[in-house]
Amino acid sequence: MIMKLIKFTILFLCLSVTYAFSQVHVKGSRFFDIAAGTVDGIDHNLKNDNSGFWVSLGTGRYNKFENSWRWNLDYLQKTYVFSPDGLNTGTIPVRHYSVQFGHGFKLIKSKRRVFYLNAIPQLLAGYESVNNNVSVAGNYHINNKNKFLIGGMVGIEIEIEHFTIQAKQRWLPKSSTKIFHTQLGIGYRFNR
């Protein structure tokens, strides 16, 4: 078991060194992202009201002026607590599955290309699932419906080496639960 752990650690370090010396923001090069974070706050207890999280996989290609075109697949989940009679409480999970396309604009960069501040506007299309597509929660009927969504997202991204810190505002005008969502998160970027 220890030998497997040592071999895995050596392999991970070799891959990390390879990625550490790769060029970033060079025209025509590609990148892959994995990111996760919170939605509308920092509460991760899925039994509390308004708690939520998101996960994203993305890819993109750098173009001239060190900007990039980007694609993302996102999963977002929030929990809403309801208590119609004041005594019995229940939770309603709301899930968003979405595809995003947009552009990353370089705002600031360091001389050695280890720090970037990027602005990211994106278009979004997806699906909203309310209470796992069940219209009854306990003894109560849910009026919110599952539906297809369109909207957009605007974000700021701080890129340090291969790590990213992200703050995004998601706008979903057709959502049956909430139109705006604030997303905060961290990620890792593989440059190729």
Side-chain angles (χ1 to χ4, degrees), residues 1-60:
M1 179 67 182
I2 294 176
M3 285 305 291
K4 286 183 179 180
L5 182 62
I6 291 172
K7 288 178 184 178
F8 178 75
T9 305
I10 290 171
L11 177 64
F12 179 75
L13 290 173
C14 289
L15 290 173
S16 297
V17 169
T18 302
Y19 283 117
F21 290 113
S22 63
Q23 291 290 324
V24 295
H25 292 263
V26 175
K27 181 180 177 180
S29 65
R30 297 192 67 80
F31 63 87
F32 299 94
D33 282 333
I34 183 165
T38 64
V39 178
D40 298 330
I42 57 172
D43 189 359
H44 290 293
N45 184 352
L46 293 180
K47 294 183 180 179
N48 292 342
D49 193 30
N50 260 344
S51 65
F53 68 93
W54 62 273
V55 178
S56 177
L57 295 174
T59 185

Side-chain angles (χ1 to χ4, degrees), residues 115-145:
F115 175 84
Y116 282 86
L117 178 64
N118 303 314
I120 306 165
Q122 292 183 312
L123 297 176
L124 179 147
Y127 183 75
E128 178 178 66
S129 168
V130 178
N131 200 35
N132 301 319
N133 298 334
V134 177
S135 62
V136 177
N139 297 328
Y140 306 101
H141 182 74
I142 299 173
N143 292 327
N144 300 64
K145 303 291 183 192

Side-chain angles (χ1 to χ4, degrees), residues 137-184:
N139 297 328
Y140 306 101
H141 182 74
I142 299 173
N143 292 327
N144 300 64
K145 303 291 183 192
N146 305 321
K147 56 177 57 179
F148 288 98
L149 302 172
I150 57 169
M153 184 164 10
V154 176
I156 292 287
E157 173 185 81
I158 297 171
E159 185 179 342
I160 303 170
E161 288 285 334
H162 296 283
F163 295 96
T164 60
I165 301 169
Q166 304 171 8
K168 303 176 184 178
Q169 184 67 43
R170 181 183 285 231
W171 173 64
L172 302 167
K174 298 288 185 181
S175 174
S176 63
T177 56
K178 191 172 179 183
I179 295 175
F180 291 100
H181 294 286
T182 302
Q183 298 176 226
L184 301 173

